Amino acid sequence: MVLMFEEAYKQQPTNEELGAQTFFANVRASHWKSAQQANDPATPPTMKTILYKLAHRLVTSSPTPSYQSNDRFHLHLSVLQELELYDDAHKLLDSDIGRAICTTSLSCNEIRRNIWRKRGMIVDEGKLAMQRISEKHDRNWLEFLSVLDATFSYFSPSDESISPVEGLEHVRKTKEFFVRIAGEDGAKDRSAALALLELEKRARVHGISKDSTRLVILMQDYFNRVGHKACCFEDLKPYIELGENELTDWTSFLQAVPRSFDTPEELQRLINTHKLLRYNLTQSELSVEAETARVALYIEQYLEGLKLGSNLLSTELQYADDLALLATNSLVTLWRITSNEEYLFSAVTLLEFALTKSKQSFQARLALIRLYRLLGAPSLAVDHYRAMGVKQVQNDTLSHFLLSRASTFSLASTGDLTLATECLESTQIYLSNSQETADFVVRAFQGERYSQIPEFIIFEERLDNSLQRDIVKMEYLRMRLTHEQITSDVIDMELIELKFIFDRTHYDNRDFDIMSNYQPKVSSDIFSQTNLLEKNESHGWLKTFLKVYIRAFQQGSDLDDSVEEKLLIGDRPKQSFGEDSRPPLRQRLAEPLTEEELAEVTFFENIVARSQDSFSPQLTQDELLFVQFARALAEWLELYHDYTRPPPNVVLAEAAKQTELKTGYPLKGVDLAALNRSSPTKKDEEPPAVTEPPEQVARFFETLKVRFDETRRNRSLIESLHVATLVQEVRDIRIFRPEELTGYQALLLFVVETLRFKSTVVVKANKFGALAASLKLIRGGAIEVLRDISSELVKQSEIVATQENRNTLIDACVTMTSRGVDADFLSNVTQKIIDSRKKVIEGVSKGIERICSTYSK
């Protein structure tokens, strides 16, 4: 389509309609270079400047002035800003029509604000913001920030011409202004009251605040104004950095808030009190006894608060929901302190009960997804994820709640494709993005909505290169290898796809802040505390596993770049600027991890000395073992793969022959005679000498068996699962650590690497008998270890389903039953957890047995 329009336009270069359609065709195909899009990542910096200058000439020479519409004016200002022609932009903005446009258009006003700041007009911006707030009653928070920025610009160390006295006078005037606006607004709007807090905070940063009690007084005043609203806690959090005496006064103020409530407003004020008091707890106050008392208090007040919402519609949220979430936060803290999973059972029971009262509670479902994964009940996590009705771009921002390390729980090896299906469904947004966003850009051009176009392009770019997209791809790949027979076609297909994503510049669009966090500031947040294995995959994790699997597929495949160029149908991924200067892919795959990657994936010796917030490794120790095994295996077999692999012309000729047999049409430009000239069983050079396998390969599965025995002695369900599926480890927390997954993922990687050497013809022709014997020995040892693990998992599944274990879970939730929660409801929740855990353990066991049977020969 693009070529058709381009050829037609070349024939009629004066046809404006044809030129526009050619441009739109390039936009729809994301050919931004042909569309001359200056901000495309592939556009060199020098070319960007040229394109912006060309755009500037076109805008200024247009017979229609830019001020004819808001979007044209925005486009003109954007071009001037990119070219740093701030004086020209200021002339436009300072005109009557420019001021009028900025008054009515938020996007134009935003770019005006940026240009004024870059011209050093911060004080002028502050005066204009004051005028908007006072005369036009504008309560946009950005206007208040402009006033604050202007006020404290007088304390800039680079400007020595302003005396401290003058700066203090401006602070005084700003304070008076905010006090007046706050008085006028009262409880109608909180912007001015919040601005007073920000003013005091900045004054302390600059060392000009003389009143040590003012911040607490302002916080008390703000709480009195806004304490009955849900936003109060989040509004005050940034300002709760108090000294010892201030903290004592603030705590005393909060503790004096009445604990009784008769209206939803009074209940919300009490909830905000609990949140603020909890946020300031010290480490010594986070004892088992204190947290247990808080849980009891939160639950008691939650059940009491439900009475206020007895007449609410089923689609509305209960006023007391946050008390259930506060109790959940405390229960998670108790679990972290004691490593006793009974606290997690209590938390899920409470949240399940809360959902019977607030069916649309998004926060309760998010928490349940996290907790059920920790408890090894993935099917229940899937149920709640589906109940949320995640749609469109939420698949990119929220799918990590369910799909992070999803292969840990996957039962694809037994034919249960639930999680694999969730992976595929979550990727539909990326397909629709590629198909639809370009049309939105075209419509914006046609409708002259130029201010929307950069946002559409950024949106498309971030989704096309989404980190979550490729993490899910990696999880899906690991599931697929357990479900499908590993063949050369599977290896070739996955190799091509993984190579496409290896060099992407990934954007992390995942939302980690959506989950309500009511943990004290001295501890990590609730999201981090409920991370499976305390790890969160990111760029380093993805890069590491891409290297492992691409290298394995590359060695197991007969394809090289020249063959791919001939066989691959469709567009290649967009190339980034400077991509040609990188070393070849094969060389980069063999390189050791960089310091940046090591910082992301390994434990340093001084990890204990580092705070948990400043150091968050993405690979566990067992995952690192798996990576080392894969690297050692690839380095050992590389020589034998290179010697055995047929020449590219032979591979192409064979592919052309198969294509002709299937379609009746031969591939163009392929020499079929190469099949007759070359014999895959004859080589000019002698085969490389066969060496013994490295110890990391030969003893890997023995080490795995030792790890499994350790997890079994710890009686940790997730540890056991983790060893059987993929190498992972959690410090001392005895909760779901699916280490069993290591075994068959390592075995499957071994199958990929050694598939070429299973042919007796290849082994005899290349004199690789000794190599085949070593591989057979390793494979046999691996299968023996995995079958032992499978047998142990069967025993674990029987223990999980015993009546004794069921009674233990019910006893763990005595806090709920003692306060009137129905015993049958509790029994049903408990049974669902047991069934889900039993299903995943049995499924992993059967999957291991199936894989062992498939690849035992």
Side-chain angles (χ1 to χ4, degrees), residues 561-844:
D561 290 340
S562 62
V563 176
E564 281 185 39
E565 290 287 350
K566 286 284 186 181
L567 299 182
L568 191 61
I569 299 174
D571 293 331
R572 292 274 182 170
K574 291 189 293 185
Q575 302 295 303
S576 300
F577 175 67
E579 201 167 277
D580 294 339
S581 62
R582 289 196 299 253
L585 176 62
R586 184 168 178 174
Q587 179 181 334
R588 283 181 284 141
L589 293 174
E591 289 174 351
L593 297 176
T594 64
E595 290 187 9
E596 180 181 357
E597 290 169 335
L598 281 170
E600 288 186 306
V601 303
T602 61
F603 287 90
F604 291 105
E605 292 180 1
N606 62 341
I607 182 174
V608 178
R610 295 170 178 254
S611 71
Q612 198 169 18
D613 291 335
S614 63
F615 186 85
S616 181
Q618 296 167 24
L619 284 193
T620 62
Q621 287 286 52
D622 290 321
E623 279 179 326
L624 191 56
L625 273 177
F626 172 76
V627 171
Q628 291 169 345
F629 162 77
R631 187 179 182 84
L633 181 64
E635 290 174 352
W636 175 45
L637 296 178
E638 188 167 28
L639 281 175
Y640 313 122
H641 280 295
D642 291 344
Y643 181 80
T644 310
R645 186 178 293 110
N649 61 336
V650 175
V651 177
L652 274 174
E654 181 62 33
K657 179 181 176 181
Q658 295 300 322
T659 301
E660 187 172 5
L661 289 174
K662 292 178 181 178
T663 65
Y665 299 97
L667 289 176
K668 295 181 180 180
V670 177
D671 181 15
L672 293 177
L675 289 173
N676 301 324
R677 293 195 301 268
S678 176
S679 172
T681 60
K682 294 182 179 180
K683 301 282 184 180
D684 295 333
E685 67 275 10
E686 286 295 313
V690 175
T691 60
E692 291 295 317
E695 186 174 355
Q696 281 181 313
V697 175
R699 299 182 61 84
F700 175 78
F701 290 96
E702 295 177 23
T703 305
L704 184 67
K705 184 62 167 66
V706 173
R707 288 280 300 131
F708 177 76
D709 290 340
E710 289 176 2
T711 64
R712 187 180 55 179
R713 285 192 295 271
N714 289 339
R715 297 179 180 178
S716 172
L717 166 60
I718 300 214
E719 275 184 276
S720 301
L721 285 177
H722 185 36
V723 169
T725 50
L726 186 64
V727 186
Q728 298 179 41
E729 188 225 358
V730 176
R731 302 178 309 186
D732 291 331
I733 299 177
R734 293 169 59 180
I735 195 61
F736 189 17
R737 294 167 53 185
E739 271 105 345
E740 288 84 355
L741 298 175
T742 304
Y744 67 66
Q745 290 289 350
L747 175 61
L748 293 172
L749 191 76
F750 183 83
V751 170
V752 170
E753 283 274 14
T754 60
L755 186 65
R756 186 192 305 279
F757 306 113
K758 292 193 72 175
S759 169
T760 55
V761 175
V762 171
V763 171
K764 289 180 180 178
N766 295 285
K767 304 176 183 178
F768 284 161
L771 177 64
S774 294
L775 297 177
K776 183 177 181 180
L777 186 64
I778 295 170
R779 186 185 299 110
I783 289 173
E784 181 181 353
V785 166
L786 285 174
R787 281 183 165 150
D788 287 346
I789 291 175
S790 178
S791 299
E792 291 298 331
L793 285 176
V794 172
K795 297 177 183 177
Q796 285 197 29
S797 69
E798 293 171 354
I799 294 172
V800 165
T802 60
Q803 184 63 38
E804 180 183 358
N805 186 57
R806 187 170 183 275
N807 292 337
T808 301
L809 299 188
I810 293 175
D811 292 342
C813 305
V814 66
T815 306
M816 295 295 296
T817 53
S818 64
R819 284 171 171 76
V821 176
D822 186 63
D824 289 339
F825 172 82
L826 178 59
S827 178
N828 290 335
V829 171
T830 302
Q831 190 59 50
K832 286 195 296 184
I833 295 172
I834 290 173
D835 291 344
S836 182
R837 298 178 100 185
K838 188 173 188 293
K839 178 182 177 181
V840 73
I841 300 172
E842 286 182 342
V844 170

Side-chain angles (χ1 to χ4, degrees), residues 333-344:
T333 299
L334 285 167
W335 165 64
R336 298 275 298 185
I337 295 171
T338 64
S339 302
N340 187 343
E341 66 180 18
E342 291 181 1
Y343 292 113
L344 296 186

Side-chain angles (χ1 to χ4, degrees), residues 192-215:
L194 197 60
L196 282 168
L197 281 166
E198 182 66 22
L199 177 71
E200 179 62 21
K201 180 182 177 182
R202 295 193 187 192
R204 292 190 171 201
V205 171
H206 286 84
I208 59 174
S209 176
K210 304 303 181 183
D211 188 350
S212 60
T213 64
R214 177 161 176 75
L215 183 59

Side-chain angles (χ1 to χ4, degrees), residues 38-54:
N39 277 336
D40 183 50
T43 305
T46 53
M47 181 55 68
K48 286 185 179 182
T49 303
I50 293 173
L51 291 173
Y52 275 117
K53 287 182 177 179
L54 176 61

